[in-house]
Amino acid sequence: MEDHTIQKNFIEQIIDADLQAGMTAIATRFPPEPNGYLHIGHAKSIFLNFGLAKTYDGTCFLRFDDTNPIKEEDEFVESIMQDVHWLGGEWDGDVRFASDYFEAFYEMAECLIEKGLAYVDDQSAEAIRETRGTLTEPGTDSPYRNRSVAENMDLFRRMRQGEFADGEKVLRAKIDMASPNMNMRDPVIYRILHASHHRTGDKWCIYPMYDYAHPLEDAIEGITHSICTLEFQDHRPLYNWFIEQLAEDEHLKSRPQQIEFARLEIENTMTSKRRLKALVDAGLVDGWDDPRLPTVSGLRRRGYTPAALKEFCQRIGVAKTNSVVEQNYLTFCLREDLNRVAPRAMAVLNPLKLTLTNYPEDQIEWVQGVVNPNDETMGTYEMPFGKHLYIEQEDFREEANRKYHRLKPGAEVRLMYGYIIKCEDFIKDPETGEILEVLCTYDPMTKSGMPDADRKVKGTLHWVEATHAVDATVHVLDDLMDEDKPQDADILERFNQHSLEVLKGCKVEPRLAKAQVGQAYQFMRKGYYCADSRYHTAEAPVFNLTVGLRDKFKG
């Protein structure tokens, strides 16, 4: 077992106490519902559950809580498995499903009926809600609460056989309608749904509720520590009640304890699967993996790294109370990682022609660039240099003050990895006044290895050689949610209509055409960009903005 040398979080302290009290091994699980794609909040749970199992030489299962056939799809199962694997989660044994235990759940429901702890209720869902009471007033007993064991068993079996319509009857646990905890007021544990399940097909027409299935599948699998987010805290008494009432059942291998921790909330970041689905269904985003979304697949497509996400989750820690983390904290961790691992490259997003009037017309030379200055083992690479170049439009001004250290008439700058150049003239569109081309001369003595290589100038520009440049499309991404809209506004109203800017005709180094999808680069002086996993090809490169070199100021 690994010996921690840092301050342990409260969950680790609980586990330590359990092990000291005689527990021989721990077992955790990551239990997503396959009704959408995972988001960054799930990443924290993945790192926590799989991390604890690794730290304590225990086991961690990947289990899908597929108890609602109406919302679940195989697409979501596949995407979740891919996301967990990408984040480094290594589950023990086969992937598990709540539907693996449907027969066991049913048998245990009959056991509750036999004990007089469950009954079939004919009331509508609306009537059940109305009779649950309030936080200050007790609920009202159902008129069907005192049915006999025999009648409840007969009706429940007929529910399974498909004799009743959806919503006509439910099975409820018989607990306490006056409990101060609303979850204990005879919760529904089975409902009728004549719907095909993604794994069991049409075998079942009754399905267990999540609050019933969750503790039982934990106990069936021998889970020791069932780690949930804080919204399940009020459900814990119900979780324990089911396990206590069915403790002697042969299916149950453990008496797991539920432990709640604070979920991950990031400012101006939407992590509700229901709301994310609304954006997808409305066609406002490019699917669940849109790089503007905080889904794990969206973050991967945008160029985030598992290492950055893990570092972020470790830094914010595991807490008992909810809080909102600043978005800049996440981007800081991302930049820290990308700065270490991302290759550097030249890309001009808003190109302006630049001609070196004294450079030979047909000459192309190859200059050396450093792949990553933070890692010498990544070596160097070559890029073409010639008479005709592209620079950024923002790097030239016809008129500029002394504090502007880029290109302007009569000024000198250095071209990165190349020569010092001087602006001699420029060409404007006579009708619009737009700058069409900048005319410069170069000093051949200022290249690396030449006598004046160390001559100092204040400005350094990135560039791309024109005849070898590759046309690329760049997606500039902004916050998905409009900060100026109220937090409680409808998700479609809060959507930032300006969250995506598509830049066509960008000029990039020829080697970027061969970029592997998912590979992030630092475009020199611009930020970090990733080859898009859906649209990038060698013939038509497409890059997504991962993160800028610094956070934008939000005043």
Side-chain angles (χ1 to χ4, degrees):
M1 185 182 305
E2 184 177 325
D3 180 27
H4 292 185
T5 58
I6 60 175
Q7 179 65 40
K8 297 185 180 182
N9 62 55
F10 76 96
I11 297 178
E12 292 170 322
Q13 292 172 8
I14 290 173
I15 292 174
D16 285 344
D18 291 338
L19 292 171
Q20 291 172 5
M23 182 179 289
T24 56
I26 75 159
T28 62
R29 81 288 173 270
F30 176 61
E33 298 175 65
N35 58 2
Y37 280 50
L38 300 183
H39 54 66
I40 191 170
H42 294 110
K44 180 178 179 181
S45 181
I46 290 170
F47 291 132
L48 179 58
N49 279 288
F50 285 95
L52 287 170
K54 183 176 182 180
T55 296
Y56 288 95
D57 294 328
T59 55
C60 184
F61 301 135
L62 173 61
R63 179 221 303 148
F64 290 93
D65 277 325
D66 55 345
T67 58
N68 187 350
I70 295 175
K71 297 183 178 180
E72 297 158 356
E73 300 177 17
D74 287 335
E75 174 193 349
F76 299 141
V77 171
E78 294 300 321
S79 73
I80 290 170
M81 291 173 61
Q82 182 182 11
D83 289 346
V84 172
H85 179 72
W86 180 69
L87 290 171
E90 299 179 4
W91 54 86
D92 289 276
D94 295 332
V95 174
R96 296 147 190 259
F97 295 84
S99 52
D100 293 337
Y101 315 124
F102 277 178
E103 193 66 45
F105 294 159
Y106 178 84
E107 292 174 8
M108 286 186 274
E110 284 201 349
C111 180
L112 291 175
I113 293 173
E114 288 175 353
K115 290 183 173 184
L117 296 175
Y119 63 96
V120 174
D121 195 342
D122 295 0
Q123 293 183 106
S124 67
E126 182 180 0
I128 291 175
R129 281 194 299 270
E130 291 175 350
T131 57
R132 284 188 73 204
T134 67
L135 293 175
T136 57
E137 297 179 354
T140 303
D141 285 358
S142 165
Y144 306 98
R145 194 173 194 265
N146 294 318
R147 276 175 161 157
S148 68
V149 169
E151 184 179 7
N152 283 318
M153 191 69 76
D154 174 65
L155 289 171
F156 187 51
R157 289 173 177 174
R158 290 165 61 191
M159 284 170 60
R160 176 176 181 171
Q161 292 166 6
E163 292 188 27
F164 306 111
D166 290 0
E168 189 173 345
K169 297 181 188 299
V170 296
L171 182 69
R172 298 177 69 178
K174 191 174 184 179
I175 307 178
D176 182 4
M177 290 301 293
S179 173
N181 187 328
M182 299 283 284
N183 296 296
M184 302 297 284
R185 295 182 185 177
D186 291 11
V188 173
I189 60 176
Y190 264 93
R191 77 284 207 200
I192 301 171
L193 279 177
H194 291 273
S196 183
H197 190 276
H198 74 108
R199 294 188 72 243
T200 60
D202 297 323
K203 179 179 179 180
W204 294 88
C205 63
I206 58 171
Y207 291 94
M209 301 298 288
Y210 178 84
D211 275 349
Y212 171 69
H214 182 211
L216 298 184
E217 58 197 339
D218 280 348
I220 288 171
E221 293 175 351
I223 301 303
T224 58
H225 299 84
S226 179
I227 301 169
C228 308
T229 46
L230 279 176
E231 62 263 35
F232 291 100
Q233 184 170 347
D234 290 341
H235 297 247
R236 193 198 317 152
L238 181 58
Y239 181 100
N240 293 335
W241 187 87
F242 284 123
I243 292 176
E244 289 167 3
Q245 305 310 318
L246 295 164
E248 304 305 319
D249 191 280
E250 62 181 8
H251 296 98
L252 306 190
K253 299 177 182 177
S254 67
R255 293 184 62 120
Q257 58 174 311
Q258 178 175 299
I259 306 170
E260 305 86 17
F261 72 101
R263 63 182 296 167
L264 176 57
E265 295 282 1
I266 305 173
E267 64 175 1
N268 204 38
T269 301
M270 182 59 61
T271 55
S272 161
K273 280 195 288 187
R274 177 179 60 83
R275 294 185 176 184
L276 294 174
K277 184 177 185 298
L279 294 175
V280 174
D281 292 345
L284 293 175
V285 293
D286 188 26
W288 284 94
D289 66 341
D290 187 296
R292 290 168 291 175
L293 292 179
T295 56
V296 174
S297 57
L299 295 171
R300 179 167 62 247
R301 184 175 165 191
R302 186 163 181 166
Y304 276 66
T305 64
L309 294 173
K310 185 175 184 179
E311 177 67 16
F312 171 65
C313 291
Q314 288 179 336
R315 286 187 179 222
I316 61 177
V318 179
K320 295 183 180 181
T321 56
N322 285 324
S323 62
V324 179
V325 181
E326 290 184 11
Q327 195 176 60
N328 292 350
Y329 204 34
L330 172 60
T331 54
F332 170 81
C333 293
L334 178 60
R335 284 192 201 91
E336 286 273 293
D337 187 52
L338 291 178
N339 188 45
R340 289 191 297 267
V341 302
R344 274 44 173 175
M346 299 280 207
V348 176
L349 306 189
N350 294 290
L352 173 62
K353 291 182 180 179
L354 185 148
T355 299
L356 300 177
T357 57
N358 62 334
Y359 195 91
E361 179 67 40
D362 299 325
Q363 178 174 310
I364 293 292
E365 60 181 300
W366 296 84
V367 299
Q368 277 198 340
V370 177
V371 176
N372 188 317
N374 298 306
D375 187 350
E376 294 181 356
T377 64
M378 297 178 73
T380 60
Y381 71 97
E382 290 188 330
M383 70 189 86
F385 181 91
K387 182 181 185 73
H388 302 286
L389 309 172
Y390 290 108
I391 63 171
E392 295 285 355
Q393 291 183 16
E394 65 186 33
D395 284 341
F396 174 79
R397 288 184 187 176
E398 180 181 357
E399 297 180 1
N401 59 34
R402 290 183 302 172
K403 294 183 179 180
Y404 184 78
H405 298 308
R406 286 172 272 181
L407 206 55
K408 56 188 176 183
E412 287 186 319
V413 298
R414 180 177 289 278
L415 296 178
M416 192 174 294
Y417 301 132
Y419 302 95
I420 291 176
I421 64 172
K422 180 179 181 180
C423 178
E424 306 289 354
D425 202 356
F426 56 90
I427 301 173
K428 292 174 65 173
D429 186 312
E431 295 183 2
T432 65
E434 178 187 1
I435 304 296
L436 301 178
E437 186 176 2
V438 180
L439 305 176
C440 299
T441 55
Y442 85 109
D443 183 347
M445 295 293 105
T446 56
K447 184 184 176 184
S448 177
M450 301 300 287
D452 294 335
D454 295 330
R455 182 157 72 85
K456 303 297 182 183
V457 291
K458 290 186 176 180
T460 300
L461 307 185
H462 67 281
W463 51 273
V464 174
E465 196 277 323
T467 63
H468 288 76
V470 175
D471 286 337
T473 298
V474 171
H475 296 158
V476 180
L477 311 172
D478 203 347
D479 290 340
L480 191 68
M481 297 293 103
D482 190 335
E483 288 183 298
D484 296 329
K485 297 291 179 64
Q487 293 289 316
D488 58 353
D490 181 87
I491 183 66
L492 302 184
E493 294 180 12
R494 289 186 61 201
F495 177 73
N496 179 9
Q497 299 290 341
H498 305 290
S499 57
L500 171 63
E501 180 184 6
V502 179
L503 302 180
K504 295 184 178 295
C506 303
K507 305 294 183 179
V508 301
E509 288 183 44
R511 69 187 176 111
L512 290 182
K514 300 178 181 179
Q516 296 294 314
V517 295
Q519 173 65 61
Y521 291 85
Q522 185 192 104
F523 288 178
M524 302 297 286
R525 301 177 61 232
K526 302 303 293 182
Y528 294 94
Y529 292 77
C530 174
D532 185 83
S533 59
R534 183 176 295 192
Y535 301 119
H536 178 85
T537 65
E539 295 75 25
V542 179
F543 293 89
N544 298 317
L545 171 63
T546 303
V547 66
L549 294 177
R550 60 190 60 83
D551 288 312
K552 63 182 181 181
F553 175 73
K554 298 179 181 180

